[in-house]
């Protein structure tokens, strides 16, 4: 006899839940396409899904804990026949880093699949349905991209992974270990995938990579090209209106890419360029290989060609050994830049990274205070940026319905959320006047 609680022999419905970064959102969509190609149906909630895929993030502590509590909750929410249980697959970076531990600690998990192996998901699910448990955490990513199905449908704003992995080895970061070495997908594959996304409804494409501006390939004549050439090729697609890219490293902001911001209208005036800290001593300990000064110089060059560019960044407070005076340098850098938006985090020691074993870890209450002060400064600046936009006329890509009847939500060229009331459809690109601003969104009216 089998165990009292068994998984459905062959899942017919599935639910993919993605945590963390935009690349995980992309991966989640690709896994959904793979499962749908097997004849399975996507469902919105995990209570009725025969198979739940948790597409996890390992960048900071709490994300991992959330995975374990989610695993517990899935079994509880299951509304299938008594005596059965849904099949649980753990994917993403926690699967890569802690696959064996998950298998040992969570007997209800039947599949563990790393971010570079998920093209094998259908076959692993079949193995699990036959009564086994399956783990795959192979690297690198090339085989995965070759094995993924063609894309058919797309939301108006689509993600396209062009580059994966990281060779920078910032001392706090797990990405080089969970996503592996830097690889760039070939130019021709990307142009083809972009065309399919556009044919499927995409009006905006965000090119994704952990170090997206390190993307490198050859064009159809065999010449070495960088990200700006890919952006230029995509800009030639008539039905594609907007192009964005994220996340970039300051050292890979080449002259060609900076110039592209001044030359390509479809390239939106927005740049996410993480700096992490304002102190050169801390930046060195982080192995960032840039200084506060060299970072500011890059921004100056971008602003010279595109004066209205909206700047965004990532920050870590409380890196091991960070003093009060060094933290003040982060605040000074924030004042100097004037970010339109930003993400800020308390340092979280990640097992296996060099910073985890450094001396002088900063006390939690000091981290809390620093984060509060930093976030207050960043909020002040995003509000100022949004207020300065009031009165501007701009395009908005309608992405979804708002909370109120007749209300729509979309993004401005500067990636601000804009809501307005009009008779429209998702995917419309409309001209709007911005009339009111808060720290996180603006309201507009249709022109
Ligand atoms: N602790 C806190 N924040 C981190 N990030 C990456 N690793 C850590 C860590 N160990 C942040 C960085 C990065 C963003 C994606 O997450 O700011 O740019
Ligand atoms: Fe992590 Fe640094 Fe690579 Fe970004 S550049 S993914 S922070 S190691």
């Amino acid at each position: 006899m089998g165990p009292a609680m068994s998984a459905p022999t062959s899942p017919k419905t599935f639910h993919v839940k993605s945590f963390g970064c935009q690349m995980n959102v992309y991966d989640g969509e690709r896994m959904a396409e793979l499962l749908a190609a097997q004849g399975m149906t996507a469902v919105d909630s995990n209570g009725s899904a025969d198979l739940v895929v948790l597409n996890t993030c390992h960048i900071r502590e709490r994300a991992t804990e959330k995975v374990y509590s989610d695993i517990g909750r899935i079994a509880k929410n299951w509304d299938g026949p008594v005596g059965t249980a849904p099949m649980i697959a753990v994917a993403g970076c926690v699967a890569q880093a802690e696959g064996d531990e998950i298998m040992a600690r969570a007997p209800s998990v039947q599949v563990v699949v790393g971010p570079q192996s998920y093209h094998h998901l259908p076959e692993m699910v079949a193995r699990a349905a036959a009564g086994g448990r399956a783990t795959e955490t192979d690297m690198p990513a090339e085989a995965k991209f070759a094995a993924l199905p063609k894309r058919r449908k797309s939301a108006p704003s689509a993600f396209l992974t062009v580059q994966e992995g990281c060779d920078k080895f910032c001392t706090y970061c797990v990405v080089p270990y969970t996503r592996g070495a830097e690889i760039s997908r070939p130019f021709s594959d990307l142009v083809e995938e972009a065309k399919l996304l556009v044919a499927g409804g995409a009006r905006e494409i965000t090119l994704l990579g952990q170090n997206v501006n390190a993307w490198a390939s050859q064009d159809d004549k065999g010449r070495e090209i960088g990200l700006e050439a890919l952006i230029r090729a995509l800009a030639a697609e008539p039905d594609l209106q907007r192009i964005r890219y994220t996340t970039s490293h300051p050292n890979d902001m080449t002259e060609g890419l900076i110039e592209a911001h001044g030359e390509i209208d479809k390239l939106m005036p927005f740049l996410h360029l993480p700096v992490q800290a304002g102190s050169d001593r801390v930046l060195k300990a982080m192995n960032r290989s840039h200084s506060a000064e060299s970072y500011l110089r890059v921004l100056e060059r971008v602003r010279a060609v595109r004066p209205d560019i909206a700047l965004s960044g990532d920050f870590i407070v409380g890196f091991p050994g960070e003093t009060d005076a060094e933290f003040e340098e982060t605040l000074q850098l924030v004042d100097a830049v004037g970010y339109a938006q930003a993400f800020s985090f308390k340092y979280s020691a990640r097992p296996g990274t060099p910073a985890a074993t450094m001396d002088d870890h900063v006390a939690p209450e000091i981290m809390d205070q620093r984060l509060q002060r930093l976030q207050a400064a960043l909020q002040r600046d995003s509000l100022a940026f949004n207020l300065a936009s009031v009165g501007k006329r701009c395009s908005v890509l309608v992405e979804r319905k708002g909370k109120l009847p007749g209300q729509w939500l979309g993004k401005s060229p500067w990636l601000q959320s804009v809501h307005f009331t009009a008779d429209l459809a998702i995917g419309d690109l409309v001209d709007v006047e911005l009339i009111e601003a808060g720290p996180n969104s603006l309201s507009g009216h249709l022109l």
Side-chain angles (χ1 to χ4, degrees), residues 59 165-176 182 210-211 247-249 274 276 286-288 316:
I59 200 92
C166 183
D167 297 338
K168 300 281 193 293
F169 289 93
C170 299
T171 52
Y172 50 80
C173 186
V174 286
V175 166
E182 271 180 26
Q210 270 90 29
N211 266 296
T247 289
S248 298
H249 192 283
Q276 315 297 358
M286 287 176 162
N287 192 32
R288 286 293 294 177
I316 297 175

Side-chain angles (χ1 to χ4, degrees), residues 204 242 244 267-271 306-312 340-341 385-386 388-396 410-418 432 434 442:
E204 171 178 283
R242 294 172 151 198
R244 305 179 185 276
L267 180 57
M268 291 294 103
F270 185 92
L271 177 63
R306 188 73 214 225
D308 73 331
I309 196 143
L311 297 170
S312 161
Q341 61 168 61
F385 184 86
N386 288 347
S389 307
V390 171
K392 279 190 187 170
R393 295 170 168 212
C394 66
S395 69
V396 170
K411 294 276 164 50
S412 77
W414 307 281
L415 207 66
Q416 296 150 302
S417 287
V418 180
V432 163
L434 302 172
L442 292 110

Side-chain angles (χ1 to χ4, degrees), residues 11 25 30 75 95 130 143 151 174 184 187 203 212 226 228-229 235 250 254 317 321 357-358 373 383 390 445-446:
V25 175
R30 309 299 333 246
R151 313 208 67 179
V174 286
S184 290
F187 176 71
R203 293 294 162 265
V212 72
E228 65 277 13
T254 59
V317 301
T357 51
M358 286 179 185
R373 285 186 63 201
L383 181 60
V390 171
H445 70 69
L446 201 67

Side-chain angles (χ1 to χ4, degrees), residues 269-280:
F270 185 92
L271 177 63
H272 180 64
L273 199 63
V275 64
Q276 315 297 358
S279 143
D280 288 344

Side-chain angles (χ1 to χ4, degrees), residues 127-361:
R127 260 190 281 156
R133 291 175 98 195
T135 303
E136 266 192 54
T137 47
D138 287 348
M139 305 249 190
E142 278 96 341
K144 169 182 74 181
F145 288 115
L148 291 175
K150 296 242 180 292
R151 313 208 67 179
R152 290 177 209 289
K153 270 202 318 228
S154 171
S157 179
F159 292 133
L160 172 56
T161 294
V162 305
Q163 182 280 329
E164 223 182 308
C166 183
D167 297 338
K168 300 281 193 293
F169 289 93
C170 299
T171 52
Y172 50 80
C173 186
V174 286
V175 166
Y177 312 97
T178 57
R179 290 270 168 178
E182 271 180 26
I183 64 122
S184 290
R185 295 180 62 194
F187 176 71
S188 52
D189 291 7
L190 293 170
V191 173
E192 188 191 333
E193 191 174 329
K195 283 186 176 166
L196 290 170
L197 286 170
V198 173
R203 293 294 162 265
E204 171 178 283
I205 292 183
T206 302
L207 307 175
L208 296 180
Q210 270 90 29
N211 266 296
V212 72
N213 58 342
W215 181 85
S217 183
Q218 284 97 39
D219 67 8
D220 23 18
K221 298 199 175 65
R223 290 174 299 212
E224 300 295 322
I225 51 170
L227 190 66
E228 65 277 13
L230 177 62
I231 294 170
R232 247 177 250 283
L234 299 189
E237 292 299 317
D239 290 334
L240 180 63
Q241 306 295 341
R242 294 172 151 198
I243 301 166
R244 305 179 185 276
Y245 63 94
T246 197
T247 289
S248 298
H249 192 283
N251 288 5
D252 293 318
M253 285 308 293
T254 59
E255 202 50 51
L257 183 56
I258 292 174
E259 274 164 20
H261 276 280
E263 291 169 6
I264 304 173
D265 289 341
K266 290 183 182 179
L267 180 57
M268 291 294 103
F270 185 92
L271 177 63
H272 180 64
L273 199 63
V275 64
Q276 315 297 358
S279 143
D280 288 344
R281 200 220 36 99
V282 173
L283 288 170
K284 194 146 194 272
M286 287 176 162
N287 192 32
R288 286 293 294 177
S289 65
H290 62 78
S291 63
E293 187 54 39
S294 68
Y295 175 83
L296 291 172
R297 269 205 308 276
V298 170
L299 296 188
E300 227 167 72
R301 281 155 61 210
V302 180
R303 274 185 164 145
V305 297
R306 188 73 214 225
D308 73 331
I309 196 143
L311 297 170
S312 161
D314 287 347
F315 295 88
I316 297 175
V317 301
F319 185 80
E322 185 188 64
T323 64
D324 284 336
E326 286 166 345
F327 170 65
E328 294 297 330
E329 292 184 73
T330 298
L331 294 177
Q332 283 159 19
L333 181 135
V334 166
D335 288 348
V337 172
Y339 287 96
Q341 61 168 61
F343 302 95
S344 48
F345 313 100
K346 287 186 270 188
Y347 169 74
S348 159
R350 309 314 293 133
T353 59
T357 51
M358 286 179 185
D359 295 332
D360 296 331
H361 279 254

